[in-house]
Amino acid sequence: MSLVAPWQTEMDESYWNAIMVQGRWVEGTPPPHGEEALAPLLENRFAAQEIDRKWQRLQEMFDEGTVVCLAVTGFNKGGLLVEWEGLQGFVPISQLMDAPVLADDCERMDCLATHVDKELQLKVIELERVQNRIIFSERAAQWGDCCPDKLLENLRAGDTCEGTVSNLCDFGVFVDLGGIDGLIHVSELSWRRVNHPRDVLQVGRRIRVHVIDVDNRRRRIALSLKRLQANPWSTVAERYRPGMIVEGVVTNVVDFGVFACIEDGVEGLIHVSELFHNGNPVQHPAEVIQEGERIQARILSVDPDHQRMALSLRGVTHSSTNGNGAAETSPAIETTYQDGTESP
C-alpha cells in the first residue's frame, strides 16, 4: 500500500531515516528499515492483529478524510513529529498552516520547536506500511472530511475550481484544491512575462484556476491561471500590422536581441540584426538598450498562432530613457524591406 500526495517528492530512505531519528524525543540508535525489521519491536507492545487493525484504521482514515487531533512530540529540519496510537507520524513543513518559510535554518528550527506539545488538527495524506511511513497534513485538515482520492477522481481537464495558494517556488505555484495540491507552472500564470511567481501570487490567497490535466496514476494535477483570462494574442492581428510604429518597454536583453512589451501579454522581439546605433550595426544589444527602457519600433511581422511579433529599430527615430534618466535619440535610417516597402 503506497498512497502518495502529488506535492510530495518521493522520499528516499536516507531522508526518511533522518526524519525518524532526529528530534527532541528520539533516543538511541536509528530504527531498522521496513516492517519486517520493526515487527519485533512493535510486537512487544501490540499483538500482530492489533498492528493490522491500526493500519486498517489508518487506511479508513485516509479513504474517509478523517481529521484527528494529535500532539506534536518533536521536530526536525523537515517538519514535525507526531504519534497516533503508538505509531510514529510526520507532518512536513509544507503541510503546516503557518509554514515557517524562512531562509535561516536556525529561525526555522526555532519556529518548529514552538509547536512541540501543542495539538494539531491533522489528516492522513500518505501511507506506506512497508516503510512504517505515515504522513499527516494540517493544511488538508482544513477541508474537513473531503477525501483527496474522490477529488482526484472527479476532476476533469477543462474544469474550473477554487483553491488556496499553498507554496511558491521558482518553477511555479502549488494550489491546495481541498486536501490535494495542483501545480500552476510559471508559464501558466499570466500571458505576460513572469520573472517569479511571487510577482503574481502570495501564499494563502484564494484563487480560481483552470484544470489543464489530471494524472490519476501519478496523482498530479496541472493548473492554469492565465487560461481564465482572454488571450491577447487571439485578437492581436486586429490591432497590429506590419509597418506600424509601436511603443514598448524593454523586458529582456539577450545575446540575440531584445524583447519589448507592446501591451500586457504581448511581447515582440527585436533581433540583433535589426538594432542600429548612429547608423552602425550593434554587436551586442546591451551596448545600446537596457531593460526597462521605453522605445519605439517598427512591426516587421505578426504571427498570432505562434504568439510572435518581429520588431525593428531600422528607420525609426526613437527616444528612450537610459539608466540615468537622460533621454537618448537615434536618427531615422532609410531602409527598404524584403516586401519592397520603404521606411518613412
Side-chain angles (χ1 to χ4, degrees):
M1 173 176 58
S2 178
L3 305 168
V4 183
W7 55 79
Q8 298 266 153
T9 56
E10 185 175 349
M11 296 182 183
D12 61 32
E13 292 314 305
S14 61
Y15 178 73
W16 182 249
N17 186 62
I19 287 174
M20 298 306 294
V21 301
Q22 293 177 5
R24 194 183 73 174
W25 60 290
V26 177
E27 297 179 358
T29 57
H33 289 300
E35 185 178 19
E36 181 178 352
L38 288 170
L41 298 177
L42 295 174
E43 287 175 357
N44 289 332
R45 191 172 182 184
F46 307 111
Q49 61 181 12
E50 183 68 4
I51 297 173
D52 291 339
R53 184 194 67 78
K54 289 180 182 296
W55 279 95
Q56 179 60 39
R57 178 54 187 151
L58 284 171
Q59 177 65 58
E60 294 173 357
M61 289 166 56
F62 177 89
D63 294 338
E64 297 170 2
T66 304
V67 177
V68 294
C69 182
L70 300 179
V72 177
T73 57
F75 66 95
N76 58 53
K77 62 183 179 181
L80 302 176
L81 304 168
V82 295
E83 183 178 307
W84 178 82
E85 295 195 13
L87 299 179
Q88 298 171 359
F90 182 62
V91 186
I93 288 179
S94 61
Q95 297 308 310
L96 294 174
M97 291 299 295
D98 57 344
V101 185
L102 304 172
D104 186 277
D105 288 345
C106 292
E107 288 182 294
R108 183 169 62 251
M109 294 292 278
D110 288 344
C111 182
L112 290 171
T114 63
H115 291 75
V116 175
D117 296 329
K118 292 182 179 179
E119 292 187 338
L120 300 178
Q121 297 292 318
L122 303 171
K123 183 186 289 188
V124 179
I125 61 171
E126 180 184 341
L127 291 172
E128 189 170 331
R129 183 171 178 177
V130 173
Q131 301 299 335
N132 202 40
R133 182 178 303 169
I134 312 168
I135 306 298
F136 291 92
S137 170
E138 185 183 27
R139 286 203 294 107
Q142 306 307 305
W143 296 89
D145 59 0
C146 173
C147 176
D149 272 6
K150 292 181 181 178
L151 174 64
L152 194 63
E153 291 172 3
N154 294 330
L155 275 181
R156 297 289 183 274
D159 287 351
T160 298
C161 53
E162 290 189 354
T164 303
V165 176
S166 58
N167 196 17
L168 304 176
C169 53
D170 291 340
F171 58 83
V173 174
F174 287 96
V175 180
D176 187 344
L177 300 176
I180 192 168
D181 274 16
L183 173 67
I184 308 175
H185 189 268
V186 65
S187 62
E188 291 293 332
L189 285 172
S190 175
W191 292 108
R192 61 181 174 84
R193 181 186 297 272
V194 176
N195 294 320
H196 194 280
R198 62 172 168 266
D199 298 333
V200 180
L201 294 171
Q202 301 80 41
V203 173
R205 180 174 169 181
R206 187 80 174 168
I207 60 173
R208 293 176 66 248
V209 290
H210 171 86
V211 179
I212 300 175
D213 184 58
V214 180
D215 187 337
N216 293 78
R217 184 181 65 83
R218 301 172 67 193
R219 301 174 60 82
R220 293 183 179 177
I221 306 170
L223 304 172
S224 174
L225 191 62
K226 75 178 187 181
R227 299 193 191 194
L228 294 179
Q229 307 162 358
N231 182 357
W233 284 96
S234 63
T235 57
V236 75
E238 301 173 7
R239 301 187 300 279
Y240 303 104
R241 62 183 185 277
M244 288 181 61
I245 303 297
V246 293
E247 276 197 352
V249 177
V250 176
T251 56
N252 198 15
V253 179
V254 293
D255 292 343
F256 57 85
V258 172
F259 288 93
C261 178
I262 306 306
E263 65 174 58
D264 197 16
V266 176
E267 282 189 339
L269 171 65
I270 309 172
H271 191 268
V272 65
S273 62
E274 297 295 332
L275 287 171
F276 279 74
H277 182 65
N278 294 329
N280 299 314
V282 175
Q283 296 299 317
H284 193 284
E287 297 175 13
V288 293
I289 292 183
Q290 297 178 357
E291 186 174 324
E293 288 188 20
R294 180 171 293 277
I295 62 172
Q296 289 186 325
R298 180 187 302 280
I299 298 177
L300 296 181
S301 64
V302 179
D303 184 354
D305 293 337
H306 295 91
Q307 299 186 8
R308 295 173 182 172
M309 179 184 293
L311 304 174
S312 175
L313 294 189
R314 291 173 182 256
V316 178
T317 300
H318 74 284
S319 60
S320 61
T321 303
N322 60 25
N324 298 321
E328 296 180 340
T329 303
S330 297
I333 303 173
E334 293 294 333
T335 304
T336 300
Y337 295 96
Q338 292 180 353
D339 61 1
T341 60
E342 293 185 352
S343 62

